[in-house]
Amino acid sequence: MFRYTKSMIKRGILFLCAATVPHFGLAASFGNLMLLGDSMTGGAGSAPYAYRQDLAIQFVAGNHSFTNVGPLSEGQFPAVPSVESRHAGFGGWSTAMLLNGNGNPNNKLSNWLTTYSPNTIVWSSGHNDIWDILFNTADWNETAIYNFNTIVVPRFRQTVQTIFNYNSSTKLVIAAPAKMLPNGTTYRLPYSQAMRNALSDISTEWSTNGYDVTFVDWWTATSEVPGVHFGPDNVHWNAAGANLAANLVYDGLNAVPEPSTLLLLGVPALALAKRRSRAKGQK
């Protein structure tokens, strides 16, 4: 019967630690970082950089290695002059526009992936897709729900597929939309909740299949009280909302694996130590 020696266990533990250090936020490297989406990423109103500047502040404070990449830039962040504000957050764009270039086939997601080679992507879109499903209804009813499931959800799936078709090792954070407050309507809040649920399901599907996908729940975290996280339009971030979004994204990027995940990582670590010990004995 084979027994694990103390030295083998030690090597296994060291291997496990080396494999999991980035997940504990210890100066993890995110490489080329693309922040992808609409104006909730690009910025508007009292939060002209959306959550991007607050996220950069946390990255710098945590000594993380990263380079913002993307087709858009407003120069250096005022609060973090060492970091350029490059991104792919296009105000007014739907998910379909991110995929097809909004009339410019050379300015779409698949081209950006090739041009900027992102290692890490934080993606949130769908807010503007609402106008593509309410073309024959002004309420969140059966027609709107059908349109959502047959038009918007396939776009979400295509976005994730496009990202992993380019690089299956991409670290992807999917941020659920923030709450879209009613603002005199009956459809904005349930629509944003439907987006949240669909993106959560898609995240689970891909992560279950071994892809590095983390779901960040902006929807649940944001308040329905006007003025708490949103500006006067009840849609775009105010300063507090942008900071909340950045905190959630930062935590998602540095998420600690569940205990079961750590156990799964530990088994191969000990097995590797066992194989190396045997190989050493045969030399």
Side-chain angles (χ1 to χ4, degrees), residues 149-169:
N149 288 325
T150 57
I151 297 174
V152 179
V153 173
R155 294 174 180 174
F156 290 162
R157 295 188 180 281
Q158 185 181 351
T159 300
V160 178
Q161 186 71 63
T162 299
I163 290 170
F164 285 122
N165 280 349
Y166 173 72
N167 182 0
S168 61
S169 298

Side-chain angles (χ1 to χ4, degrees), residues 158-190:
Q158 185 181 351
T159 300
V160 178
Q161 186 71 63
T162 299
I163 290 170
F164 285 122
N165 280 349
Y166 173 72
N167 182 0
S168 61
S169 298
T170 300
K171 182 178 184 65
L172 175 63
V173 169
I174 299 178
K179 288 184 175 76
M180 296 174 68
L181 302 190
N183 203 24
T185 67
T186 60
Y187 57 79
R188 286 174 29 153
L189 189 59

Side-chain angles (χ1 to χ4, degrees), residues 39-40 44-46 179-183 188 226-227 229-238:
S39 56
M40 301 301 282
S46 60
K179 288 184 175 76
M180 296 174 68
L181 302 190
N183 203 24
R188 286 174 29 153
H229 294 128
F230 305 104
D233 62 1
N234 284 334
V235 174
H236 295 100
W237 303 119
N238 60 17

Side-chain angles (χ1 to χ4, degrees), residues 2-5 7-8 11 270-283:
F2 186 88
R3 294 182 180 179
Y4 289 106
T5 66
S7 62
M8 289 172 59
R11 288 197 296 274
L270 289 174
L272 178 62
K274 177 179 176 179
R275 288 197 301 270
R276 287 178 175 174
S277 178
R278 283 178 170 174
K280 184 177 180 181
Q282 293 172 354
K283 288 182 179 179

Side-chain angles (χ1 to χ4, degrees), residues 172-177 195-201 203-204 213-220 248 252:
L172 175 63
V173 169
I174 299 178
M195 285 197 294
R196 179 255 174 231
N197 294 340
L199 290 168
S200 175
D201 291 344
S203 299
T204 299
V213 180
T214 301
F215 178 69
V216 171
D217 196 353
W218 284 351
W219 195 92
T220 299
L248 292 171

Side-chain angles (χ1 to χ4, degrees), residues 30-276:
F30 300 113
N32 288 341
L33 171 67
M34 179 178 288
L35 305 180
L36 172 70
D38 49 34
S39 56
M40 301 301 282
T41 296
S46 60
Y49 300 101
Y51 69 89
R52 295 179 290 114
Q53 179 169 254
D54 288 346
L55 183 63
I57 291 172
Q58 295 195 53
F59 278 166
V60 172
N63 292 318
H64 298 285
S65 174
F66 73 103
T67 301
N68 284 329
V69 297
L72 301 175
S73 177
E74 300 86 20
Q76 310 304 111
F77 285 122
V80 199
S82 62
V83 179
E84 187 179 3
S85 62
R86 285 205 165 273
H87 64 100
F90 287 79
W93 281 33
S94 67
T95 308
M97 292 173 182
L98 294 175
L99 290 166
N100 64 32
N102 193 22
N104 182 354
N106 296 317
N107 190 38
K108 60 184 180 180
L109 177 58
S110 58
N111 295 94
W112 305 332
L113 295 173
T114 302
T115 301
Y116 301 105
S117 302
N119 307 103
T120 305
I121 297 175
V122 180
W123 165 55
S124 178
S125 68
H127 304 84
N128 296 302
D129 294 72
I130 193 169
W131 310 119
D132 294 336
I133 71 169
L134 294 175
F135 49 81
N136 58 0
T137 178
D139 199 359
W140 187 247
N141 53 26
E142 289 185 6
T143 300
I145 294 170
Y146 175 81
N147 292 340
F148 173 77
N149 288 325
T150 57
I151 297 174
V152 179
V153 173
R155 294 174 180 174
F156 290 162
R157 295 188 180 281
Q158 185 181 351
T159 300
V160 178
Q161 186 71 63
T162 299
I163 290 170
F164 285 122
N165 280 349
Y166 173 72
N167 182 0
S168 61
S169 298
T170 300
K171 182 178 184 65
L172 175 63
V173 169
I174 299 178
K179 288 184 175 76
M180 296 174 68
L181 302 190
N183 203 24
T185 67
T186 60
Y187 57 79
R188 286 174 29 153
L189 189 59
Y191 170 75
S192 60
Q193 184 175 20
M195 285 197 294
R196 179 255 174 231
N197 294 340
L199 290 168
S200 175
D201 291 344
I202 291 170
S203 299
T204 299
E205 291 169 10
W206 282 88
S207 61
T208 300
N209 285 313
Y211 292 84
D212 191 352
V213 180
T214 301
F215 178 69
V216 171
D217 196 353
W218 284 351
W219 195 92
T220 299
T222 48
S223 173
E224 293 185 37
V225 178
V228 175
H229 294 128
F230 305 104
D233 62 1
N234 284 334
V235 174
H236 295 100
W237 303 119
N238 60 17
N243 184 256
L244 171 69
N247 290 341
L248 292 171
V249 168
Y250 183 83
D251 290 344
L253 286 167
N254 292 284
V256 178
E258 296 294 326
S260 58
T261 304
L262 292 176
L263 179 60
L264 289 173
L265 286 170
V267 170
L270 289 174
L272 178 62
K274 177 179 176 179
R275 288 197 301 270
R276 287 178 175 174

